[in-house]
Amino acid sequence: MAKVPRFIIVTGGVCSSLGKGIATASIGAIMKACGFKVFVQKLDPYLNVDPGTMSPFQHGEVYVTDDGAETDLDLGHYERFIDEPMSKLSTVTSGQIYQSVLSKERQGTFLGKTIQVVPHITDAIKERMMGAARESGADIMMIEIGGTVGDIEGEPYLEAVRQLRAELGAEHVLLVHLTLLPYLQGSKELKTKPTQLSVRELRRIGLHPDLILARADYKIPNSLLDKISNFCGVERKAVIPALTVHSIYDVPLRFQSFGIAEIIAEKLKLGNVKPDMKKWEEGEKRHNAATKQVKIAIVGKYTHLDDAYLSVIESIKSAAVFHKRRAEIVWIDSEKLEEKDASTGLSTGSETWKRLKGCEGIVVPGGFGTRGIEGKIAAAKYAREEKVPYLGLCLGAQIMTIEFARFVEKDPKLTSEEFDEGSKLPRSKYVVHFLPGQHKDKEKGGTLRLGAYICTLKKGSKAWEVYGKASEISERHRHRYEFNNAFKKKLENAGLLFSGTWEIPRRGSGQAGLAEIVEIKDHPFMMGSQFHPEFLSRPHRPHPLFVAFINAVVQRKK
């Protein structure tokens, strides 16, 4: 084993959205398959402290770790590929770095010195990298730098890497550069010039890539790989094609087919390595064997942006593959389900309803705000009445409970405190209300119930069966509102079972006995979780709730 941590730094060139997160996760998975302990850190150059308050349109989903860090969606890739838990150590932003340095300046830590990007900001960045390596005990420390080489906000991170490499030596720091080879339709050829210029920019900063991943949608001729090697000064064997593949989980196998583990081991002096890629090979076989299709509706409001629900999508697809099915995601805009003609009062969303009714299962994922809520409630009502398998995640669980309460109480005004923005309704109408200690005026950043909490399962319930008859489970949360226990007895008598509860407060002040899982008794599968099971689903080990949901879909189809 490596006695001193090795750092593998992944940068991106030419443009964003090339798949640096997937490349980082894939290399990490390969090095883990070699027997090394791997940990990953994402360095994001934006000035937000974390992505917790950023719009999904800006940044995709917010991924939550066991210790409650609100992080970039790439951490989801790291955990799904490497199958190791990430933590607060895994996420660094410029907002955090500057906040830390300026706090020290206010405390007088720097003894009156002028605070500068070099050395103070770069030193803080290096300390976060070294600190994560120390605390995680990693043999291999994977570090992804967000953005693109050439971005002004990314310069301090690249300078910090340059300094780290100078301090530790080239045998301890390896630089991987993922870069695009654009295809010109007119001349029908891939071009290497953007890659050459991107590497030139790295050289200007004082860095030189040890390994280039050439990203392309078309097969790259060997002549172009030779050209990249020659013009960029990188060994030919270390210029590796990174082609678009059918499944992102095929990427580790593709990279290793070019001997990437051996190349890295040679450069970092790790000795002889032989990665065990058996589980990835088995996964590829499972994926290829999944031929029958199932249509799964995701009812939400960010339906034009897959990244907003990335972990949910991956969880559905992985569970479907284990049932030898391919999941076709059908996007349902919940606002369109509630559209009505102002003059007639009749629904104008008939086309959207037609698409929803053509699906074999319905997932309502998490979210915040009032937009599209009544459409989601209408979808839950349809799933309950027509016995369509339904899985509600966080907000989706609250939606199905509100819909059921309205049905039982014959009261359409029952709702969540979140949706009563003007506080016009009496609190007795809130089926879902604020967490203890929460209120409308509280700061939004980092004030949710975040991270892993214990859930106690009710023996004999469907949830208990789904989780293999376990008495307790641990799941990750990200929410501000809880089920109102004042409704519990009446709803349970009517057939809505509170099958999972948070019995023992673990962090700060809290209220015991809060609902974590709800399910409808006389339904093939209508279940909701206050937590986010998608954060614990893995491609080789899909989450039990998603597996049970897809199973219900398959059984209903029979």
Side-chain angles (χ1 to χ4, degrees):
M1 285 296 178
K3 294 181 180 179
V4 180
R6 264 55 167 188
F7 293 83
I8 300 177
I9 316 292
V10 180
T11 60
V14 182
C15 66
S16 60
S17 301
L18 292 181
K20 289 194 305 298
I22 293 170
T24 303
S26 296
I27 294 171
I30 292 167
M31 299 315 291
K32 181 183 177 182
C34 292
F36 297 107
K37 183 174 183 180
V38 177
F39 194 69
V40 194
Q41 187 177 67
K42 174 77 182 287
L43 307 180
D44 272 310
Y46 52 71
L47 288 173
N48 303 67
V49 173
D50 61 43
T53 58
M54 294 172 71
S55 166
F57 287 121
Q58 290 278 313
H59 208 259
E61 76 173 2
V62 175
Y63 191 84
V64 178
T65 57
D66 278 342
D67 60 356
E70 293 180 284
T71 73
D72 182 82
L73 59 81
D74 277 327
L75 268 75
H77 289 312
Y78 307 158
E79 288 200 342
R80 284 188 287 272
F81 278 72
I82 301 171
D83 201 10
E84 294 288 343
M86 299 296 112
S87 71
K88 290 179 180 178
L89 297 172
S90 303
T91 179
V92 177
T93 70
S94 291
Q96 294 171 14
I97 294 294
Y98 279 87
Q99 190 177 62
S100 171
V101 171
L102 292 175
S103 176
K104 289 179 180 178
E105 186 273 333
R106 291 290 84 187
Q107 294 166 15
T109 304
F110 299 112
L111 302 176
K113 292 179 181 177
T114 301
I115 309 306
Q116 297 177 293
V117 173
V118 180
H120 302 99
I121 297 299
T122 51
D123 282 353
I125 293 169
K126 285 188 294 181
E127 176 51 37
R128 292 294 291 271
M129 291 192 282
M130 295 294 292
R134 280 194 309 271
E135 290 190 45
S136 66
D139 301 313
I140 305 291
M141 186 73 199
M142 301 289 308
I143 295 178
E144 176 192 350
I145 300 179
T148 306
V149 170
D151 292 345
I152 190 168
E153 60 266 31
E155 295 266 339
Y157 292 94
L158 295 173
E159 170 60 19
V161 169
R162 186 196 66 76
Q163 293 177 19
L164 187 72
R165 196 173 193 178
E167 292 165 11
L168 298 181
E171 70 277 10
H172 287 95
V173 181
L174 180 135
L175 186 62
V176 178
H177 192 51
L178 175 68
T179 177
L180 177 68
L181 271 62
Y183 181 81
L184 298 185
Q185 192 65 46
S187 58
K188 293 183 170 49
E189 60 179 342
L190 293 164
K191 304 300 290 186
T192 66
K193 186 62 69 177
T195 293
Q196 297 174 41
L197 295 176
S198 183
V199 171
R200 185 184 299 175
E201 179 65 14
L202 273 176
R203 285 174 170 171
R204 180 189 67 77
I205 296 163
L207 292 171
H208 191 284
D210 299 288
L211 195 151
I212 290 177
L213 300 175
R215 185 78 178 84
D217 292 326
Y218 299 87
K219 181 177 172 60
I220 306 172
N222 284 330
S223 59
L224 288 190
L225 297 174
D226 293 340
K227 187 175 181 180
I228 292 170
S229 171
N230 186 32
F231 278 79
C232 297
V234 175
E235 271 188 288
R236 173 60 184 83
K237 68 179 181 181
V239 179
I240 294 176
L243 304 183
T244 301
V245 290
H246 186 66
S247 166
I248 59 173
Y249 302 114
D250 291 339
V251 174
L253 289 175
R254 298 297 174 270
F255 281 0
Q256 185 49 33
S257 70
F258 293 97
I260 194 169
E262 291 79 2
I263 294 168
I264 291 171
E266 178 186 335
K267 292 181 180 295
L268 292 179
K269 295 182 169 43
L270 295 170
N272 294 326
V273 295
K274 186 176 182 181
D276 180 3
M277 304 299 288
K278 185 178 178 181
K279 73 174 184 178
W280 295 99
E281 291 164 356
E282 291 172 349
E284 185 177 40
K285 289 177 183 176
R286 273 196 307 271
H287 193 273
N288 291 336
T291 53
K292 293 182 180 179
Q293 194 174 71
V294 289
K295 286 187 177 183
I296 305 298
I298 295 182
V299 182
K301 59 183 179 180
Y302 304 113
T303 53
H304 300 295
L305 183 69
D306 288 16
D307 279 358
Y309 305 111
L310 183 59
S311 292
V312 175
I313 294 169
E314 293 303 319
S315 300
I316 293 170
K317 288 182 176 179
S318 295
V321 165
F322 269 74
H323 284 286
K324 298 183 178 179
R325 301 293 192 278
R326 289 185 185 271
E328 178 190 344
I329 304 299
V330 179
W331 294 104
I332 303 295
D333 186 336
S334 59
E335 285 187 284
K336 292 183 178 179
L337 294 178
E338 59 191 42
E339 288 178 354
K340 291 184 179 179
D341 186 279
S343 58
T344 64
L346 298 175
S347 173
T348 57
S350 57
E351 186 58 38
T352 304
W353 273 106
K354 183 179 179 181
R355 290 172 56 239
L356 177 65
K357 291 177 180 180
C359 294
E360 296 141 293
I362 297 172
V363 175
V364 178
F368 296 91
T370 60
R371 187 161 60 87
I373 289 300
E374 290 302 322
K376 293 174 185 177
I377 290 174
K381 182 175 186 285
Y382 165 74
R384 178 179 58 80
E385 293 178 342
E386 300 299 324
K387 308 294 186 186
V388 178
Y390 174 103
L391 179 60
L393 310 173
C394 197
L395 176 64
Q398 298 171 8
I399 289 293
M400 68 171 272
T401 305
I402 291 168
E403 191 285 319
F404 191 84
R406 287 181 179 182
F407 164 68
V408 171
E409 295 286 299
K410 304 293 187 282
D411 185 353
K413 289 188 177 181
L414 293 178
T415 188
S416 166
E417 189 169 1
E418 179 181 9
F419 312 147
D420 184 23
E421 291 183 315
S423 300
K424 298 174 183 177
L425 298 172
R427 297 189 64 80
S428 61
K429 298 293 184 182
Y430 297 154
V431 179
V432 178
H433 59 180
F434 269 120
L435 276 165
Q438 296 282 357
H439 51 83
K440 289 183 184 293
D441 299 323
K442 191 161 186 175
E443 286 186 356
K444 298 297 187 288
T447 60
L448 307 168
R449 177 144 76 102
L450 294 165
Y453 286 78
I454 295 295
C455 171
T456 301
L457 300 178
K458 189 177 185 67
K459 189 174 181 180
S461 66
K462 192 171 292 180
W464 180 70
E465 294 281 353
V466 165
Y467 279 95
K469 300 181 179 179
S471 58
E472 286 186 342
I473 57 171
S474 176
E475 294 282 359
R476 297 179 186 178
H477 296 67
R478 184 177 183 255
H479 66 274
R480 183 174 279 110
Y481 299 86
E482 297 283 1
F483 293 101
N484 186 348
N485 281 338
F487 285 85
K488 183 178 179 181
K489 187 174 181 180
K490 186 172 283 189
L491 294 181
E492 287 204 316
N493 288 339
L496 180 76
L497 180 63
F498 287 65
S499 53
T501 52
W502 176 39
E503 299 292 351
I504 306 171
R506 295 175 62 209
R507 295 176 187 157
S509 61
Q511 175 186 342
L514 296 175
E516 291 277 86
I517 305 176
V518 290
E519 59 185 68
I520 293 181
K521 293 178 184 178
D522 62 343
H523 193 285
F525 189 95
M526 191 161 189
M527 190 177 293
S529 66
Q530 184 73 304
F531 48 80
H532 290 268
E534 66 270 24
F535 294 150
L536 292 181
S537 190
R538 304 289 177 258
H540 307 303
R541 186 168 38 84
H543 192 282
L545 281 179
F546 285 94
V547 172
F549 167 68
I550 294 295
N551 182 61
V553 170
V554 172
Q555 294 304 317
R556 183 174 184 266
K557 199 171 182 181
K558 287 180 180 179

